[in-house]
Amino acid sequence: MRKRSLFLFGASLIAGLSSSLGRSSKSHKQNQTLLPLLYAGTWQYKDENRNRMHCVEISQDLKLTIDQHPINAQVEVVDQHNLIYIDNFGYHITFTANESRPIQMMDEADDQVYTIIDTKK
């Protein structure tokens, strides 16, 4: 009887774990699919050193454009906190997001951090 109850306990534990792993994997895939939408849009930032506004566009497939010039950069990381590109010269362009949109851009080439402005406001 004891062997049978241990077997049943083990079987139910494995079933429970596999069920919860399946759900977290599905949830993780949904989050990965929605991540580009967090960053996609048209944004602005002000370069204080040059006293100039710049326009940043991030497409739903995460193509990056600054001031209507496509930036040749590859996505290195995308998660709920950061979208990190690496350009042809090895410099990073990092967008940091809150729960609803990008709020900051760091350009490693210029060694500058910019506050992202939502153009819809």
Side-chain angles (χ1 to χ4, degrees):
M1 182 71 175
R2 184 172 169 101
K3 278 186 177 181
R4 186 168 195 265
S5 65
L6 282 175
F7 173 77
L8 290 175
F9 172 75
S12 67
L13 180 64
I14 290 171
L17 285 174
S18 67
S19 168
S20 76
L21 287 175
R23 270 182 276 158
S24 69
S25 175
K26 189 176 187 177
S27 162
H28 179 71
K29 285 179 185 175
Q30 287 173 335
N31 286 342
Q32 291 291 1
T33 303
L34 296 176
L35 283 174
L37 298 179
L38 174 65
Y39 295 97
T42 301
W43 318 101
Q44 291 183 337
Y45 68 92
K46 184 172 185 179
D47 181 345
E48 297 289 343
N49 293 335
R50 296 178 183 100
N51 196 28
R52 183 169 174 220
M53 292 297 289
H54 294 277
C55 180
V56 174
E57 293 177 62
I58 301 173
S59 68
Q60 290 184 4
D61 61 351
L62 299 178
K63 300 292 183 202
L64 178 63
T65 304
I66 299 178
D67 294 335
Q68 299 180 342
H69 293 88
I71 304 300
N72 193 6
Q74 301 299 313
V75 174
E76 192 171 69
V77 173
V78 61
D79 63 28
Q80 66 270 23
H81 303 289
N82 293 296
L83 169 58
I84 303 174
Y85 293 93
I86 187 163
D87 70 14
N88 288 342
F89 302 104
Y91 289 107
H92 291 96
I93 302 169
T94 303
F95 291 88
T96 303
N98 62 17
E99 57 279 341
S100 62
R101 68 175 188 83
I103 56 170
Q104 181 177 296
M105 181 184 101
M106 195 280 290
D107 185 346
E108 187 178 39
D110 292 338
D111 194 27
Q112 293 290 319
V113 176
Y114 305 101
T115 300
I116 299 290
I117 302 163
D118 188 348
T119 58
K120 296 173 193 139
K121 290 185 176 181

